[in-house]
Amino acid sequence: MSIEFDNNQPIYLQIMNYIKRQIVTGSLKAGDKIISVRELAAELQINPNTIQRTFQELEREEVVETRRGLGRYVTSEESKIMEMKKEMAGDLLDRFINGMQELGFANQDIVSIVAEAVTAGPESDSNQERGANLRE
C-alpha cells in the first residue's frame, strides 16, 4: 500500500479515504478482512494510534465492523458501499462543476461538454480534439 500524504489534511482522514476508495472500486470486497493496525502502521510507517483512529472512524461510519477475536472486516451491507460510492461521485462532480464554472463555462455548456464526452467515450479522437479546441 502506498499513499502520498498531503500536509493540508489529517493523515487519518487520508487513510480513511484510501480505504473507502479500495472498497468502492472493489479492491476490498464486502466481508473482506482488513489488515491489522500493527501491519498497516508498519507498512505506512506511521504511528499505530493514527491507524487505530482511522479504524474507529470507519467503524463509526459503519464502513468496517469488528468481529471479536477475528479482526476487522469490510461491511457486508452492499447498500452502505453504494452510499459511499454515490457520496464520492457527488464530491467528484462538485469539484468538476466548480472548476468548469471557474473557467467561465455556463451550466448548459458544462452539460453539453459532458454529454458529448460520454457519447464519444473516453479514448476517442473527438475528446482529444475538443480538448484542443478548448485550449484555443
Side-chain angles (χ1 to χ4, degrees):
M1 178 184 299
S2 176
I3 302 174
E4 288 194 30
F5 294 111
D6 176 1
N7 292 332
N8 298 321
Q9 187 181 35
I11 290 174
Y12 83 94
L13 287 176
Q14 294 177 62
I15 298 168
M16 279 180 67
N17 290 334
Y18 178 83
I19 291 171
K20 286 179 177 181
R21 186 171 298 277
Q22 294 294 304
I23 294 168
V24 165
T25 60
S27 295
L28 282 173
K29 298 188 181 358
D32 279 357
K33 186 172 175 44
I34 294 181
I35 190 170
S36 74
V37 170
R38 275 190 219 146
E39 289 173 306
L40 188 54
E43 192 173 316
L44 296 177
Q45 298 181 347
I46 59 174
N47 190 312
N49 293 333
T50 303
I51 303 298
Q52 185 63 34
R53 179 161 186 202
T54 299
F55 287 162
Q56 286 173 340
E57 288 298 313
L58 288 169
E59 280 185 51
R60 188 183 61 73
E61 292 183 11
E62 300 177 350
V63 174
V64 301
E65 53 193 39
T66 299
R67 297 181 189 160
R68 193 174 179 106
L70 298 175
R72 289 186 175 89
Y73 292 81
V74 175
T75 183
S76 301
E77 292 183 40
E78 292 291 336
S79 62
K80 183 64 182 175
I81 295 171
M82 185 53 74
E83 180 183 316
M84 269 193 317
K85 193 172 202 169
K86 287 179 181 178
E87 185 179 313
M88 287 179 166
D91 292 343
L92 190 60
L93 277 171
D94 287 344
R95 287 194 307 273
F96 172 75
I97 291 168
N98 288 335
M100 293 296 281
Q101 288 171 338
E102 286 175 7
L103 291 174
F105 287 99
N107 289 345
Q108 190 54 45
D109 294 333
I110 296 170
V111 170
S112 297
I113 290 168
V114 170
E116 212 174 293
V118 168
T119 302
E123 299 295 321
S124 76
D125 290 337
S126 64
N127 280 341
Q128 293 169 0
E129 290 171 15
R130 183 175 41 265
N133 291 339
L134 291 175
R135 286 188 290 272
E136 294 174 351

